[in-house]
Amino acid sequence: LQYFLDSWYEKDIETVNYFIAGLDYKEVAKTQGKDTSSLWRKHKSLAIEEYLVCKSLINDIVNG
C-alpha cells in the first residue's frame, strides 16, 4: 500500500479520497468541475482499483 501512497502527489489527495470513498469518475468530475474523461484517466493513472484490491487482500490476510 505504501507504494500507492508514495506515488500520489499531494495535489491529487482530494481526488484520491473521493475515489476511495466510492465515488465514480463521473461523480468526482461533477464535484470538482472537471471533464469526465480527464477524471477517468486520472482514476486509471492513480491505480485506484489496484490500491483497493491490495488493501482488501491485506485486510483478508490480517483478519482471517
Side-chain angles (χ1 to χ4, degrees):
L1 292 179
Q2 192 63 46
Y3 166 80
F4 296 104
L5 298 175
D6 291 343
S7 70
W8 296 333
Y9 293 105
E10 190 170 327
K11 65 183 176 105
D12 294 325
I13 298 302
E14 180 181 14
T15 304
V16 167
N17 286 332
Y18 283 128
F19 286 137
I20 290 174
L23 275 67
D24 71 2
Y25 69 94
K26 294 174 191 170
E27 295 170 313
V28 177
K30 191 174 188 179
T31 300
Q32 295 187 331
K34 296 183 180 179
D35 182 62
T36 56
S37 63
S38 296
L39 268 293
W40 181 84
R41 287 190 306 273
K42 180 63 79 174
H43 185 271
K44 296 297 178 189
S45 70
L46 292 171
I48 299 298
E49 293 303 319
E50 292 84 350
Y51 168 81
L52 293 173
V53 167
C54 287
K55 185 176 177 182
S56 176
L57 288 171
I58 290 170
N59 188 43
D60 289 349
I61 291 168
V62 170
N63 295 321

